[in-house]
Amino acid sequence: MPALTPELLIQAYANGYFPMADSDTSEVSWYRPDPRTILPLDGFHVSHSLQKKLRQKAFTATFDKAFEATMRFCANRPEGSWISEEFVAIYGRLNDVGFAHSVEVWNGDKQVGGAYGVCIGAGFFAESMFHTETDASKVALHFLVERLKKSKFLLMEVQFLTPHLKSLGAVEISAEAYELRLMEAISADATF
């Protein structure tokens, strides 16, 4: 198994793969699920409670202000995490060169939510999200989706369908359909 490098990660995402590390051994495995889950940018569901939260302006959002902190929050799970120290370092390098980005949600000066992922062309490959206050991860996704739409992104991939993502509008598509969308997205230009 070759060592993780920024170049290897970009090549893997461009070919439909993503890595995860075993939470106990840190051994890296590669995934290319079928079906694949995407969050259609024009299909993001803003619930009444999320609309209310956004109107209250209790949270603010930033981008790439706290990339490493966002990854570490995402990794801090009681059940263990696939985000190893190696991942924090490599994705941090991707962030340094503009291929990985984060959205951070703040309540005052305290980070309470966020998400991060990889960007290639007009494709965004979401990796993980977290919240320490109710609805903060939904707020993060709202601001991320708005940013991607404004920047003319064509694809937001979210790996696996969960009840949480389904409630926000995520859908499963076949690997074949995903590959067509992937090729179109990585061939297009968009600036995060």
Side-chain angles (χ1 to χ4, degrees):
M1 162 66 86
L4 284 182
T5 63
E7 296 78 17
L8 177 62
L9 285 174
I10 295 301
Q11 184 180 16
Y13 282 97
N15 284 285
Y17 292 88
F18 59 86
M20 296 176 103
D22 182 277
S23 62
D24 294 323
T25 66
S26 294
E27 182 179 337
V28 175
S29 297
W30 294 91
Y31 296 87
R32 193 175 194 217
D34 185 6
R36 197 65 168 257
T37 304
I38 63 168
L39 183 58
L41 295 172
D42 59 356
F44 181 71
H45 176 69
V46 180
S47 66
H48 293 297
S49 63
L50 180 54
Q51 286 175 358
K52 182 178 178 184
K53 188 70 76 172
L54 292 167
R55 278 194 307 271
Q56 291 172 345
K57 297 187 178 177
F59 298 133
T60 57
T62 57
F63 295 93
D64 292 331
K65 181 177 179 181
F67 184 86
E68 183 177 331
T70 300
M71 280 196 75
R72 291 193 181 283
F73 275 117
C74 289
N76 187 20
R77 299 178 191 272
E79 70 275 12
S81 174
W82 53 267
I83 302 170
S84 67
E85 282 300 314
E86 180 183 23
F87 276 46
V88 172
I90 294 295
Y91 283 83
R93 287 173 56 198
L94 283 177
N95 176 251
D96 290 342
V97 295
F99 282 102
H101 299 281
S102 60
V103 55
E104 304 91 18
V105 175
W106 306 86
N107 185 342
D109 61 359
K110 181 181 177 188
Q111 188 176 0
V112 296
Y116 78 95
V118 172
C119 266
I120 305 172
F124 188 87
F125 310 93
E127 280 296 309
S128 189
M129 62 183 173
F130 82 95
H131 71 276
T132 59
E133 290 188 16
T134 303
D135 290 333
S137 63
K138 292 179 186 177
V139 170
L141 280 180
H142 165 77
F143 282 107
L144 178 58
V145 165
E146 290 302 306
R147 174 89 170 232
L148 297 177
K149 284 167 50 175
K150 183 178 179 184
S151 300
K152 309 283 191 247
F153 273 71
L154 301 175
L155 175 66
M156 182 176 179
E157 185 261 354
V158 294
Q159 300 176 349
F160 301 109
L161 190 62
T162 65
H164 177 66
L165 288 171
K166 187 174 183 179
S167 75
L168 296 170
V171 296
E172 289 183 325
I173 61 174
S174 69
E176 184 179 351
Y178 175 73
E179 190 167 318
L180 292 173
R181 289 180 186 225
L182 173 65
M183 291 303 110
E184 180 185 14
I186 66 172
S187 300
D189 287 328
T191 301
F192 185 84

